[in-house]
Amino acid sequence: MDDFRKEELIFGHLDGRLGDEEFAELQALLEGDSAARQMYVRLARLDSGLREEEMAELGEDKIIEISSVPGRVFGGSRVFAMAAAIALLAVPIWFLAFDQEAPKGSEVAVVDSTPSAPTRGVAVITAEAGAVWEEFEGEQPSEGISLEPGRFVLREGLAQIDFYGGASISLSGPAEIELVDRDAAILHRGRLRADVPPAARGFVIRSADVLVEDLGTSFGMAVGEDKNAELVVFDGEVKATGADGKPISLFGGDAVRMAQGVAMRQGMHEAGVFPDIGDVIAGAGDREESRLANWKEASLELRGDSRLIAYYDFENLTVASRRLKNRAAVGMGSELDGGIVGAKVAQGRWKGKTALDFRAEGDRVRFDIPGTFEALTILAWVRIDALDRHLNSLFLTDYFDPDEFHWQISEKGALHFATSPEGVVDIPKNNRRFYSEPFWDPSMSGQWFFLATTVDRKGAGVKHYVNGKQVGFSGGTNMEKPLGALHIGEADLGNWSDPIWETSIRTLNGRIDEFALFDAALTSEEIVNLYHQGKP
């Protein structure tokens, strides 16, 4: 049986147009043809998602819920019968639809922050140029974050999205796209250009009027407010199927407009301009240079803050650098320079910005910072590659004497601040521990985070911040008890020189490219401003 007949039967079934004989023919086809089963799964998955969206908009409630698949709905007993038939052939029923119910409106789906849960991401943003994403509950997509199935709204600018199946798209705002899985998406509005290598052949983009299956090519797609779609093939071949269920093949140089699901050929120039992935990369480079210049200006201003104990910008490091210079214009100056031990110079948040990479058990920066502090702010830009220790060092004082402190990240991805008025004498009884809510999981490996903790022993106590936002506590010990005046003394950035226990290896696996200590608890507004000034 040729592919045209297979698609005719599948689309007929999904649209409820098959008679009993054709339905039996489709069942027999699926039982004996694995390629046909894969085709059915792919098309039914997309069809189910689109139907759910249409039902939500129309307020339709005559749908059958499958109790074994939470939140998933199918319309009609034959769909259930077909799903059951395919399930008997070892194709999971849930594969007929989206992995989860797509968020409505402008919701942003971000990977579950529980480290033990495997990532369900299907794509990642690999470049941006002037991109402004719509937020949901204070969260928004950003470069490097693994994206789960769901809707994403790009208000303006350009973004490159790489699907885990191998395809890449460049999206031009304003646009709204729904990620289905690693090989499929729905473009609700806006313009995109897709580049699909042979390994990703079969990548699918759908709109309200057309389903486009790529056969190894480069193509552009635009969806207007009227839901009509325009399709341009730059090279290779795509198969476009309109609402009538009849697929047409398009080759390099072909362009069509879909109006009410019917294809009408047009010239390529009529379809307008589609963003090229090269445009996104070029724009990202311009933006990176601008952000770096803005940060340098803000960094120069920050050096003069009278509350600084020490400030390290990690600028202009070379392979020969063995000193991390204190840039604070006040205080003890070069007396608070750090000694670089083992850590390698690496690229920081931007090209042209240096950082230190901590990897081996000996990597660290050594400090000796005298003084007693009633309040303190510790902040750093950190790239976490892995959390392979029970506790992973950010800034640890040697040995943990009375009222010294440790600032680190737990294996569950939570910020951890600890201090004790008695030091190591009776840790279980006296240790004050403050764990933030987890903010990191393995899908975020290699991303830069702005981490900050403020301590005010006579005021608001301990607060944790991640990327400018205060985060709550997930647990701790003796959190309600008073804090003593804090000491630092000899200490390590990225390690622990003199552990209490010989087995307590806490080497950071990642990079740091800015670090500061203040003798005051900065306000939430100050923290968020520092984040935006340094955001890559």
Side-chain angles (χ1 to χ4, degrees):
M1 184 183 298
D2 60 28
D3 286 347
F4 180 83
R5 179 55 178 166
K6 294 176 185 178
E7 291 179 347
E8 186 177 41
L9 288 171
I10 292 171
F11 277 113
H13 167 66
L14 295 174
D15 293 337
R17 295 185 280 105
L18 293 187
D20 292 339
E21 292 184 3
E22 289 179 312
F23 183 72
E25 181 182 359
L26 177 59
Q27 282 186 308
L29 170 67
L30 296 176
E31 289 173 2
D33 188 335
S34 61
R37 291 196 296 272
Q38 293 175 2
M39 181 186 295
Y40 181 92
V41 167
R42 184 176 65 254
L43 299 180
R45 184 171 57 212
L46 286 168
D47 183 79
S48 176
L50 193 61
R51 287 176 187 273
E52 285 186 11
E53 178 195 32
E54 292 170 348
M55 288 176 181
E57 292 176 352
L58 295 173
E60 185 172 344
D61 57 2
K62 295 181 179 179
I63 51 182
I64 298 173
E65 183 168 333
I66 309 301
S67 60
S68 62
V69 188
R72 183 57 50 224
V73 291
F74 294 84
S77 59
R78 281 191 171 177
V79 173
F80 178 78
M82 191 61 67
I86 292 180
L88 292 175
L89 295 167
V91 178
I93 293 177
W94 59 263
F95 206 24
L96 296 174
F98 293 154
D99 179 53
Q100 62 178 25
E101 201 159 327
K104 300 299 187 290
S106 61
E107 294 186 17
V108 175
V110 181
V111 175
D112 189 338
S113 63
T114 304
S116 59
T119 177
R120 291 182 293 157
V122 298
V124 61
I125 301 170
T126 51
E128 296 179 330
V132 178
W133 296 92
E134 189 167 294
E135 292 189 355
F136 174 72
E137 294 184 351
E139 300 292 337
Q140 64 179 16
S142 62
E143 187 173 333
I145 290 182
S146 184
L147 305 176
E148 289 187 5
R151 285 200 186 193
F152 300 87
V153 177
L154 180 63
R155 292 178 179 173
E156 59 183 72
L158 301 174
Q160 177 183 334
I161 300 176
D162 289 352
F163 286 77
Y164 290 164
S168 293
I169 66 169
S170 49
L171 189 66
S172 177
E176 181 177 354
I177 191 167
E178 185 171 345
L179 307 185
V180 178
D181 61 25
R182 55 185 290 165
D183 296 303
I186 301 172
L187 182 63
H188 294 278
R189 60 186 174 92
R191 308 177 76 84
L192 65 79
R193 178 167 177 157
D195 182 51
V196 186
R201 188 172 288 129
F203 178 72
V204 171
I205 291 283
R206 183 167 186 171
S207 72
D209 279 343
V210 63
L211 182 146
V212 180
E213 181 181 2
D214 180 88
L215 301 179
T217 186
S218 175
F219 67 90
M221 186 174 182
V223 176
E225 295 297 334
D226 59 3
K227 301 299 183 182
N228 290 334
E230 293 179 318
L231 179 64
V232 173
V233 181
F234 299 108
D235 60 71
E237 179 186 1
V238 302
K239 184 181 293 183
T241 305
D244 57 4
K246 297 179 179 180
I248 60 172
S249 293
L250 300 172
F251 300 90
D254 288 342
V256 296
R257 177 176 175 79
M258 307 296 295
Q260 285 75 50
V262 179
M264 297 180 293
R265 292 187 179 271
Q266 60 180 11
M268 289 188 67
H269 65 280
E270 298 179 73
V273 178
F274 291 88
D276 185 84
I277 290 175
D279 297 333
V280 185
I281 299 298
D286 293 341
R287 176 184 179 276
E288 188 172 32
E289 291 179 2
S290 175
R291 292 293 302 150
L292 176 56
N294 291 339
W295 169 80
K296 286 184 176 182
E297 183 177 345
S299 176
L300 287 172
E301 182 178 348
L302 179 61
R303 296 180 188 186
D305 194 313
S306 62
R307 299 168 297 175
L308 276 174
I309 301 168
Y311 172 58
Y312 308 90
D313 62 7
F314 289 69
E315 275 280 81
N316 303 316
L317 297 175
T318 70
V319 292
S321 298
R322 294 296 93 192
R323 178 177 292 206
L324 187 64
K325 294 183 178 180
N326 172 28
R327 305 291 189 183
V330 297
M332 299 181 65
S334 62
E335 284 295 310
L336 300 187
D337 287 355
I340 300 172
V341 180
K344 303 297 189 296
V345 177
Q347 181 178 303
R349 313 199 294 279
W350 302 281
K351 293 178 182 178
K353 170 81 174 71
T354 51
L356 286 177
D357 186 271
F358 300 82
R359 196 78 43 183
E361 290 186 7
D363 293 351
R364 68 198 69 206
V365 180
R366 288 290 290 163
F367 297 98
D368 189 354
I369 301 176
T372 301
F373 309 100
E374 297 291 316
L376 200 66
T377 295
I378 326 159
L379 58 85
W381 275 98
V382 182
R383 193 187 92 166
I384 305 165
D385 293 338
L387 296 177
D388 39 18
R389 314 291 187 192
H390 173 62
L391 290 170
N392 303 264
S393 171
L394 290 173
F395 187 65
L396 272 66
T397 57
D398 283 4
Y399 197 66
F400 205 59
D401 284 335
D403 290 322
E404 292 183 351
F405 64 87
H406 285 176
W407 190 49
Q408 47 204 331
I409 306 172
S410 76
E411 62 185 345
K412 295 184 178 180
L415 266 178
H416 170 248
F417 178 85
T419 185
S420 172
E422 302 296 330
V424 299
V425 174
D426 194 352
I427 285 180
K429 180 179 179 181
N430 293 293
N431 201 10
R432 281 81 159 128
R433 294 177 180 266
F434 300 81
Y435 286 94
S436 77
E437 296 173 351
F439 69 90
W440 190 91
D441 67 57
S443 71
M444 301 172 184
S445 177
Q447 293 180 37
W448 287 99
F449 288 87
F450 182 63
L451 306 179
T453 295
T454 62
V455 185
D456 186 352
R457 65 181 296 257
K458 295 183 177 179
V462 175
K463 295 181 180 179
H464 290 305
Y465 296 83
V466 177
N467 289 343
K469 297 178 182 177
Q470 185 178 346
V471 293
F473 296 115
S474 62
T477 58
N478 298 316
M479 298 170 66
E480 75 288 350
K481 292 184 178 180
L483 300 169
L486 298 172
H487 303 282
I488 299 176
E490 294 182 330
D492 281 346
L493 188 70
N495 214 318
W496 194 10
S497 277
D498 198 357
I500 301 169
W501 303 279
E502 291 183 359
T503 57
S504 295
I505 299 172
R506 298 189 181 176
T507 312
L508 177 68
N509 189 343
R511 298 180 184 180
I512 299 176
D513 87 341
E514 191 172 7
F515 175 61
L517 293 163
F518 294 79
D519 64 0
L522 299 188
T523 66
S524 297
E525 292 75 16
E526 289 175 313
I527 296 289
V528 73
N529 285 339
L530 288 171
Y531 165 66
H532 286 298
Q533 288 170 359
K535 181 180 178 182

